[in-house]
Amino acid sequence: MATQPSHPADIAQLLGARVVRAVEHVLGEQITVQEAVIREAAPEHGADYQSNAAMALAKRFGQPPRQLAEQLVASLDVEDLCEAPAIAGPGFINMRLKDSWISERLGQLYADPRLGVAPTDSPARVVVDYSSPNVAKEMHVGHLRSTIIGDALVRLLRFRGDEVIAQNHLGDWGTPFGMLIEHAVDEGLVQATGDAAHGDGARGDGPRGDGAGAAGAAGAGAHAIDDLNSFYRQANSRFQADPAFAQRARDRVVALQDGDAGTLALWQTLVQESEAHFRDAYARLGVLLTDADIAGESTYQDQLADVASELQQRGLAVDSDGALCVFPDGFTGRDGEPVPLIVRKSDGAYGYDTTDLAALRHRTRDLGATEVLYVVGAPQRLHLEMVFAVAAEMGWLGDGKQAFHVAFGSVLGEDHKMLRTRSGDPVRLSELLAEAEDRAAAVLAQRGMEADAALARAIGIGAVKYADLASDREKDYVFSWERMLAFEGNTSVYLQYANARALSVLRRAADEAGVDTGIAGGAGAGAPAFDLREGAERDLALALLRLPAAIETTLADFRPHKLCTYLHGLAVSYSGFYEACPVLGAEDGLRQSRLGLCELASRALVLGLDQLGIEAPQRLSPPPARA
Ligand code: ARG
């Protein structure tokens, strides 16, 4: 049985191709499918799709648009797909799919485990730089956003068939490590080996080399440093207040940069301690990132000098007051002065800019990426644009290799200021996630549902993720527990609830028949003959057919909120159907059709939520559900 699963072509593509043919017939002009401008129509127009091609073409060919639309309609061969097309307004061509065509198409979806989402026929190799928190600091909500958005994109890209390489660009290198190491030594958190201040340590193998054997980091759960932020603050205030400490810290930085083995071991311990914190957060969030995805700033240290000389050889890097800088074209400050990327500071040190240049070179040159996504907050836009510009001049980008800043806005508190705790401290991620689970359990309890830990997690963590994904990533959004855990509105709970209701109908049908429904996989079992009698059934069916387009537009500019909007619409359609169309009480053929719609709705919701990294529990209300 080697039949390939068939993935029916996208509806807009199908209709677009027909419009292309009509245009050729009427105007003798070959246009592209994009130029056919097929859009989903607003339901009040009585159409499912529209072509907006006539207006632009009319301009181009100096014809009245409505007249051209009429000619196009006369030549438009869509009889197998649509009712007779209609013209509206200045020349929109409205098309309504035939119910019989929708039914047939649903049958195809039913048999396809991917629900019509065809894998790409030209897979890209995509590096996704995401999460990327800083060592010895707590992950903050910005890293939370990067983690959640990045993870959803990784899932979607993999589902599309791209080869994805996740890169967690940990901030694990730089001058603060001098004071952090000295503070850790004084606190007895790590054991000093050798005296860095006198530089008698043997040279190690460089960052992350085998020579930097760690002095036993704490395992998951129990952490040697409980609160990374206060640890960082303590180190910093000692650095400010105590000159002797500050001197030791500075010597430590030198020893670290010189690759002193003892110092590297201490550094490694601190890094591992932080990684244990991050690992906990990832596990709790259910994100895909693993230790294997970590490629922190330290990984590029031994490539920085080479990057600098490559930039110099190309004549891009120039001396500026003793520092080595690149001034990419078109980047000027408020005063009109060109702004530089600093390749090497006057004291010889390399920093964040050079590291990013080295990382990008590595990603396209060594990892072979054709696309590099940076899921990084909007404030780093200028930095990244400059890095991309320089990389393009160096040939690390261009020629089929591109980089994209997947920028995102801030998370605000209900006062519309940066999210803080009541006492004004930054919110600790671990506490935020614990609160999400507690609140989810409380909300479920209110509805008479005793939530075990797994269910509370699925609902609570899902709500945090969904709230982050559901608004356009470039906008700031207000963090509101009430809103994100509401059973109504564009929330994960609403989607999870719609799915649970669909599953409960299927369970009852199976109970009655004394059989296993075989849901969640559905392919294999024969598709019912779909019978779309009520408007609500047709709405739901059409929504189901639009899943592939929703995923495609989501990935077109990496905006997960588009998938959320789609899924919410699907759940609304399902609810409309659930209210209007009795399933179990319907006569035999109709009952099978409606059960099939329930099953497809559940499968589409589960698939969509899964792409967003959100679980879809089987039940969300106590067992005796409504009939
Ligand atoms: N560690 C950085 C921060 O916390 C984010 C790094 C983003 N990735 C990059 N390649 N610069 O701001």
Side-chain angles (χ1 to χ4, degrees), residues 127-176:
V127 161
V128 184
D129 177 323
Y130 75 109
S131 194
S132 309
N134 300 314
V135 161
K137 285 192 196 160
E138 214 67 46
M139 274 173 89
H140 57 62
V141 285
H143 298 121
L144 178 67
R145 289 212 78 181
S146 175
T147 306
I148 292 172
I149 296 168
D151 210 61
L153 293 176
V154 167
R155 289 168 191 265
L156 281 159
L157 291 165
R158 289 205 173 126
F159 184 60
R160 178 167 78 181
D162 288 328
E163 186 188 343
V164 180
I165 305 173
Q167 295 279 275
N168 192 348
H169 193 81
L170 282 192
D172 63 355
W173 198 251
T175 45

Coordinates of all heavy atoms in Angstrom, one line a residue, residues 127-176:
V127 N 18.5 28.3 10.2 CA 18.9 28.5 11.6 C 18.0 29.4 12.3 O 17.6 30.5 11.8 CB 20.4 29.1 11.6 CG1 20.7 29.7 13.0 CG2 21.4 28.0 11.3
V128 N 17.5 29.0 13.5 CA 16.7 29.9 14.3 C 17.4 30.2 15.6 O 17.7 29.3 16.4 CB 15.3 29.2 14.6 CG1 14.4 30.2 15.3 CG2 14.6 28.8 13.3
D129 N 17.8 31.5 15.7 CA 18.4 31.9 16.9 C 17.4 32.4 17.9 O 16.7 33.4 17.6 CB 19.4 33.1 16.5 CG 20.1 33.8 17.6 OD1 19.5 33.9 18.7 OD2 21.3 34.2 17.4
Y130 N 17.2 31.7 19.0 CA 16.1 32.1 19.9 C 16.4 31.7 21.3 O 17.3 30.9 21.6 CB 14.8 31.5 19.4 CG 14.4 30.0 19.6 CD1 13.5 29.6 20.6 CD2 15.1 29.1 18.8 CE1 13.2 28.3 20.7 CE2 14.7 27.7 19.0 CZ 13.8 27.4 19.9 OH 13.5 26.0 20.1
S131 N 15.6 32.2 22.2 CA 15.7 32.2 23.6 C 16.9 33.0 24.1 O 16.8 34.1 24.5 CB 15.8 30.7 24.1 OG 15.7 30.7 25.5
S132 N 18.2 32.5 23.9 CA 19.4 33.2 24.1 C 19.4 34.1 25.4 O 19.7 35.3 25.3 CB 19.7 34.1 22.9 OG 19.6 33.3 21.7
P133 N 19.2 33.5 26.5 CA 19.3 34.3 27.8 C 20.8 34.5 28.2 O 21.7 34.0 27.5 CB 18.6 33.4 28.8 CG 18.8 32.0 28.3 CD 18.8 32.1 26.8
N134 N 21.0 35.2 29.2 CA 22.3 35.5 29.6 C 22.7 34.8 30.9 O 21.9 34.7 31.8 CB 22.5 37.0 29.9 CG 22.1 37.8 28.6 OD1 22.6 37.5 27.5 ND2 21.3 38.8 28.7
V135 N 23.9 34.2 30.9 CA 24.4 33.4 32.0 C 24.5 34.3 33.3 O 24.8 35.5 33.1 CB 25.7 32.8 31.7 CG1 26.5 32.4 32.9 CG2 25.5 31.6 30.7
A136 N 24.2 33.7 34.4 CA 24.2 34.4 35.7 C 23.2 35.5 35.8 O 23.4 36.5 36.6 CB 25.7 34.9 36.0
K137 N 22.2 35.5 34.9 CA 21.1 36.4 35.1 C 19.8 35.5 34.9 O 19.9 34.6 34.1 CB 21.1 37.5 34.0 CG 22.1 38.5 34.3 CD 21.8 39.7 33.3 CE 23.0 40.6 33.3 NZ 23.0 41.5 32.1
E138 N 18.8 35.9 35.6 CA 17.5 35.2 35.4 C 17.0 35.5 34.0 O 17.2 36.6 33.5 CB 16.6 35.8 36.5 CG 15.6 34.9 37.1 CD 16.2 33.8 38.0 OE1 17.1 34.1 38.8 OE2 15.7 32.7 37.8
M139 N 16.3 34.5 33.4 CA 15.6 34.8 32.1 C 14.5 35.8 32.4 O 13.8 35.6 33.4 CB 15.0 33.5 31.6 CG 15.8 32.6 30.8 SD 15.0 31.1 30.4 CE 14.2 31.5 28.9
H140 N 14.4 36.8 31.6 CA 13.3 37.7 31.8 C 12.2 37.5 30.8 O 12.3 36.7 29.9 CB 13.8 39.2 31.9 CG 14.6 39.6 30.7 ND1 14.0 39.7 29.5 CD2 15.8 40.0 30.6 CE1 14.9 40.1 28.6 NE2 16.0 40.3 29.2
V141 N 11.2 38.3 30.9 CA 10.0 38.1 30.0 C 10.4 38.3 28.5 O 9.8 37.7 27.7 CB 8.8 38.9 30.4 CG1 8.1 38.3 31.6 CG2 9.1 40.4 30.5
G142 N 11.4 39.1 28.2 CA 11.9 39.2 26.9 C 12.4 37.9 26.3 O 12.1 37.5 25.2
H143 N 13.2 37.2 27.2 CA 13.6 35.9 26.8 C 12.5 34.9 26.7 O 12.5 34.0 25.9 CB 14.7 35.3 27.8 CG 15.9 36.2 27.8 ND1 16.3 36.8 29.0 CD2 16.8 36.6 26.9 CE1 17.4 37.6 28.7 NE2 17.7 37.5 27.5
L144 N 11.5 35.1 27.5 CA 10.3 34.2 27.5 C 9.6 34.4 26.1 O 9.3 33.4 25.4 CB 9.3 34.6 28.6 CG 8.0 33.8 28.6 CD1 8.2 32.4 28.9 CD2 7.0 34.4 29.6
R145 N 9.5 35.6 25.6 CA 8.9 35.9 24.3 C 9.7 35.2 23.2 O 9.2 34.5 22.4 CB 8.8 37.4 24.0 CG 7.8 38.1 24.8 CD 7.2 39.3 24.0 NE 6.2 38.7 23.1 CZ 5.5 39.5 22.2 NH1 5.7 40.8 22.2 NH2 4.6 39.0 21.4
S146 N 11.0 35.4 23.3 CA 11.9 34.8 22.3 C 11.7 33.3 22.3 O 11.7 32.7 21.2 CB 13.3 35.2 22.5 OG 14.2 34.6 21.6
T147 N 11.7 32.7 23.5 CA 11.6 31.3 23.6 C 10.3 30.8 23.0 O 10.3 29.8 22.3 CB 11.7 30.9 25.1 OG1 12.9 31.5 25.6 CG2 11.8 29.4 25.2
I148 N 9.2 31.4 23.3 CA 7.9 30.9 22.9 C 7.7 31.1 21.4 O 7.3 30.2 20.7 CB 6.8 31.7 23.7 CG1 6.8 31.2 25.1 CG2 5.4 31.4 23.1 CD1 5.9 32.0 26.1
I149 N 8.0 32.3 20.9 CA 7.8 32.6 19.5 C 8.8 31.8 18.7 O 8.4 31.1 17.7 CB 8.0 34.1 19.2 CG1 7.0 35.0 19.9 CG2 8.0 34.4 17.7 CD1 7.3 36.5 19.9
G150 N 10.0 31.7 19.1 CA 11.0 30.9 18.4 C 10.6 29.5 18.3 O 10.7 28.8 17.2
D151 N 10.1 28.9 19.4 CA 9.8 27.5 19.4 C 8.6 27.2 18.5 O 8.6 26.2 17.8 CB 9.5 27.1 20.9 CG 9.8 25.6 21.1 OD1 11.0 25.3 21.0 OD2 8.9 24.9 21.4
A152 N 7.7 28.1 18.4 CA 6.5 27.9 17.5 C 7.0 27.9 16.1 O 6.6 27.1 15.3 CB 5.5 29.0 17.8
L153 N 7.9 28.8 15.8 CA 8.4 28.9 14.4 C 9.2 27.7 14.1 O 9.1 27.1 12.9 CB 9.3 30.2 14.2 CG 8.5 31.5 14.3 CD1 9.4 32.7 14.2 CD2 7.4 31.6 13.2
V154 N 10.0 27.2 15.0 CA 10.8 25.9 14.8 C 9.8 24.8 14.4 O 10.0 24.0 13.5 CB 11.6 25.6 16.0 CG1 12.2 24.2 15.9 CG2 12.8 26.6 16.1
R155 N 8.7 24.7 15.2 CA 7.8 23.6 15.0 C 7.1 23.7 13.6 O 7.0 22.8 12.8 CB 6.7 23.6 16.0 CG 7.2 23.2 17.4 CD 6.2 23.5 18.5 NE 6.8 23.3 19.8 CZ 6.6 22.2 20.5 NH1 5.9 21.2 20.1 NH2 7.2 22.1 21.7
L156 N 6.7 25.0 13.3 CA 6.0 25.2 12.0 C 7.0 24.9 10.8 O 6.6 24.3 9.8 CB 5.5 26.6 11.9 CG 4.2 26.9 12.7 CD1 4.1 28.4 13.0 CD2 3.0 26.4 11.9
L157 N 8.2 25.4 10.9 CA 9.2 25.2 9.8 C 9.4 23.7 9.7 O 9.5 23.2 8.5 CB 10.5 25.9 10.1 CG 10.3 27.5 10.0 CD1 11.6 28.1 10.7 CD2 10.2 27.9 8.6
R158 N 9.6 23.0 10.8 CA 9.9 21.5 10.7 C 8.7 20.9 10.0 O 8.8 20.0 9.2 CB 10.1 20.9 12.0 CG 11.5 21.4 12.6 CD 12.1 20.4 13.6 NE 13.4 20.8 13.9 CZ 13.9 21.0 15.1 NH1 13.1 20.8 16.2 NH2 15.1 21.4 15.3
F159 N 7.5 21.3 10.4 CA 6.3 20.7 9.9 C 6.2 20.9 8.4 O 5.8 20.1 7.6 CB 5.0 21.2 10.6 CG 3.7 20.6 10.1 CD1 3.6 19.2 10.3 CD2 2.7 21.3 9.6 CE1 2.4 18.6 9.9 CE2 1.6 20.7 9.2 CZ 1.4 19.4 9.3
R160 N 6.6 22.1 8.0 CA 6.6 22.4 6.5 C 7.6 21.6 5.8 O 7.5 21.4 4.6 CB 6.9 23.9 6.3 CG 7.0 24.3 4.9 CD 7.0 25.8 4.7 NE 8.3 26.3 4.9 CZ 8.5 27.6 4.8 NH1 7.5 28.5 4.5 NH2 9.7 28.1 5.1
G161 N 8.6 21.1 6.5 CA 9.6 20.2 5.9 C 11.0 20.8 5.7 O 11.9 20.3 5.1
D162 N 11.1 22.0 6.3 CA 12.5 22.6 6.3 C 13.4 21.9 7.3 O 12.9 21.3 8.3 CB 12.4 24.1 6.7 CG 11.7 24.9 5.6 OD1 11.9 24.6 4.4 OD2 11.1 25.9 5.9
E163 N 14.7 22.1 7.1 CA 15.6 21.5 8.0 C 16.0 22.6 9.0 O 16.5 23.7 8.6 CB 16.9 21.0 7.3 CG 17.8 20.3 8.1 CD 19.1 20.1 7.4 OE1 19.2 20.1 6.2 OE2 20.1 19.8 8.1
V164 N 15.7 22.5 10.3 CA 15.8 23.6 11.2 C 17.0 23.3 12.2 O 17.1 22.2 12.7 CB 14.5 23.8 12.0 CG1 14.7 24.9 13.0 CG2 13.4 24.1 11.1
I165 N 17.8 24.3 12.3 CA 18.9 24.2 13.3 C 18.7 25.2 14.3 O 18.8 26.4 14.1 CB 20.3 24.4 12.6 CG1 20.5 23.4 11.5 CG2 21.4 24.2 13.7 CD1 21.8 23.7 10.7
A166 N 18.3 24.8 15.5 CA 18.0 25.8 16.6 C 19.4 26.2 17.2 O 20.3 25.3 17.4 CB 17.2 25.1 17.7
Q167 N 19.5 27.5 17.5 CA 20.8 28.0 18.1 C 20.4 28.8 19.3 O 19.8 29.9 19.1 CB 21.6 28.8 17.1 CG 22.1 27.9 15.9 CD 23.4 27.2 16.2 OE1 24.5 27.7 16.2 NE2 23.2 25.9 16.6
N168 N 20.8 28.4 20.4 CA 20.6 29.2 21.6 C 21.9 30.0 21.9 O 22.9 29.5 22.4 CB 20.3 28.2 22.8 CG 19.7 28.9 24.0 OD1 19.8 30.1 24.1 ND2 19.2 28.2 25.0
H169 N 21.8 31.3 21.5 CA 23.0 32.1 21.5 C 23.1 32.7 23.0 O 23.0 33.9 23.2 CB 22.8 33.3 20.5 CG 23.9 34.1 20.2 ND1 24.9 33.7 19.3 CD2 24.3 35.3 20.6 CE1 25.8 34.7 19.1 NE2 25.5 35.7 19.9
L170 N 23.5 31.8 23.9 CA 23.6 32.2 25.3 C 24.6 33.3 25.5 O 25.7 33.3 24.9 CB 24.1 31.1 26.1 CG 23.3 29.9 26.6 CD1 24.0 29.1 27.6 CD2 21.9 30.4 27.1
G171 N 24.3 34.3 26.3 CA 25.2 35.3 26.7 C 26.1 34.8 27.8 O 25.8 34.9 28.9
D172 N 27.2 34.1 27.3 CA 28.0 33.4 28.3 C 29.5 33.8 28.3 O 30.4 33.1 28.7 CB 28.0 31.9 28.0 CG 28.6 31.5 26.6 OD1 28.9 32.5 25.9 OD2 28.7 30.3 26.3
W173 N 29.7 35.1 27.9 CA 31.0 35.5 27.8 C 31.0 37.1 28.0 O 30.1 37.7 27.7 CB 31.6 35.2 26.4 CG 33.1 35.2 26.3 CD1 33.9 36.2 25.6 CD2 34.0 34.3 26.9 NE1 35.2 35.9 25.8 CE2 35.3 34.7 26.5 CE3 33.9 33.2 27.7 CZ2 36.5 34.1 26.9 CZ3 35.0 32.5 28.1 CH2 36.3 33.0 27.7
G174 N 32.1 37.6 28.4 CA 32.2 39.1 28.6 C 32.8 39.5 29.9 O 33.0 38.7 30.8
T175 N 33.0 40.8 30.0 CA 33.6 41.3 31.2 C 32.9 41.0 32.5 O 33.6 40.9 33.6 CB 33.9 42.8 31.1 OG1 32.7 43.4 30.6 CG2 35.0 43.1 30.1
P176 N 31.6 40.9 32.6 CA 31.0 40.7 33.9 C 31.5 39.4 34.6 O 31.3 39.2 35.8 CB 29.5 40.6 33.6 CG 29.3 41.3 32.3 CD 30.6 41.1 31.6

